[in-house]
Amino acid sequence: MFDSFPEGVSTRLDRPRYHEEYYRALESGIRHLNKLERGQNFKERGFASWEAFAAGQWDTSLSLIEERRDAYVQQVEEAERAGMLQRRLRVVEFPVTPYVQWELHVLRLRVEVGDRIRLLDARTIADIEKHRPVPEVVILGDVVMFEVRYDDDGNAAGANRFTDRALIEETSAGFDALYEQAEEYGDFFAREIAPLPAPTVSL
C-alpha cells in the first residue's frame, strides 16, 4: 500500500505552490484530512520553541510550546465547524531522536486541544518498509494527495501532488489500517517520552 507511488503520475510543487494548493483543497469542502509523518529529523525555522530546542535550551523550548495553544484551538474549531475529520499518524523510531522527542511535546498540546493523533512504533511496520520508509503524505478527502518533500538538511522543500482517485483511495485505506494499528497518544507518551532526559542537540 505504501511500498511506492507510480512514477509519472505526480506533479512536483515548490514550497509556495504546495502551500497554495494545500489551502485551496482544505477550503474546498473536503470531509477528512489524514497526515502521516515518518521522518525523524526536521528543521522548523521560525517556530520559537524549535529555535530554542535547536539552541540546546530544552526547558525554554518546552515553555514556548504553550504560545501555540490559541492557534491550535482555532484550527480544531475551524475543522469542527466545517465538519472535517482530521487525523495525524506519527511514526517513531527507537532510540527516539532529539527532534521527535521535542515534536511529541508539541503534539501533546495538539492532543490536549482536540487533535486526533496516534503514534506508531516503526519496528511494527518493518514488513511494509522493506524497500523504503512509508512516505510523508497528506491526504485531503478524495480530491488530492501530497507526498511532502524535504531537502537533505531537513527543511521543507515542497511536495509531489497526486490527483488519481484510485491511488488516493488505496493510500487512504493504507492510512486507515496503520492508524487502527497505532497507539493512543497519551499511553505512548507517558511510557516512552515523558521519562526521557533532556536531549543533547547537535545541529
Side-chain angles (χ1 to χ4, degrees):
M1 53 186 170
F2 286 119
D3 186 48
S4 64
F5 290 138
E7 294 185 6
V9 298
S10 66
T11 302
R12 184 67 179 264
L13 308 176
D14 61 19
R15 189 178 181 187
R17 191 174 172 199
Y18 163 53
H19 288 165
E20 177 184 340
E21 298 204 12
Y22 169 87
Y23 286 108
R24 182 184 299 122
L26 191 65
E27 297 166 1
S28 68
I30 61 170
R31 287 290 173 259
H32 63 266
L33 185 158
N34 294 322
K35 182 175 183 179
L36 172 59
E37 292 180 302
R38 179 62 179 86
Q40 306 296 297
N41 293 286
F42 295 127
K43 290 184 169 59
E44 299 197 27
R45 303 185 191 283
F47 186 171
S49 175
W50 182 87
E51 297 287 358
F53 156 75
Q57 301 167 1
W58 181 244
D59 290 341
T60 301
S61 73
L62 296 184
S63 67
L64 288 171
I65 291 172
E66 186 65 23
E67 293 183 352
R68 290 289 182 100
R69 180 178 292 273
D70 289 347
Y72 294 158
V73 168
Q74 182 178 351
Q75 291 171 9
V76 169
E77 290 177 345
E78 288 176 352
E80 290 177 348
R81 284 195 296 270
M84 180 173 59
L85 173 65
Q86 295 187 100
R87 297 181 299 172
R88 183 192 300 245
L89 178 60
R90 211 318 165 199
V91 178
V92 180
E93 291 183 5
F94 289 86
V96 177
T97 65
Y99 170 83
V100 169
Q101 182 180 347
W102 167 81
E103 185 196 29
L104 293 189
H105 281 271
V106 177
L107 296 186
R108 182 174 62 162
L109 174 58
R110 283 187 169 274
V111 170
E112 285 181 7
V113 303
D115 261 350
R116 296 173 176 85
I117 304 174
R118 290 187 178 182
L119 302 174
L120 187 64
D121 185 334
R123 294 169 294 194
T124 67
I125 57 172
D127 58 328
I128 64 173
E129 291 195 321
K130 293 178 181 177
H131 303 295
R132 57 164 276 178
V134 294
E136 301 276 332
V137 65
V138 179
I139 310 168
L140 294 104
D142 59 358
V143 177
V144 65
M145 177 173 72
F146 299 101
E147 182 182 14
V148 185
R149 311 293 295 182
Y150 297 86
D151 64 22
D152 293 339
D153 200 33
N155 299 293
N160 295 327
R161 181 191 63 197
F162 299 85
T163 56
D164 180 86
R165 293 293 180 94
L167 179 61
I168 294 172
E169 181 178 347
E170 178 184 358
T171 308
S172 294
F175 178 93
D176 289 344
L178 293 183
Y179 192 84
E180 183 66 25
Q181 176 183 340
E183 189 172 354
E184 292 293 340
Y185 196 93
D187 293 342
F188 187 104
F189 185 93
R191 186 185 67 249
E192 305 290 355
I193 305 302
L196 295 177
T200 299
V201 181
S202 177
L203 299 178

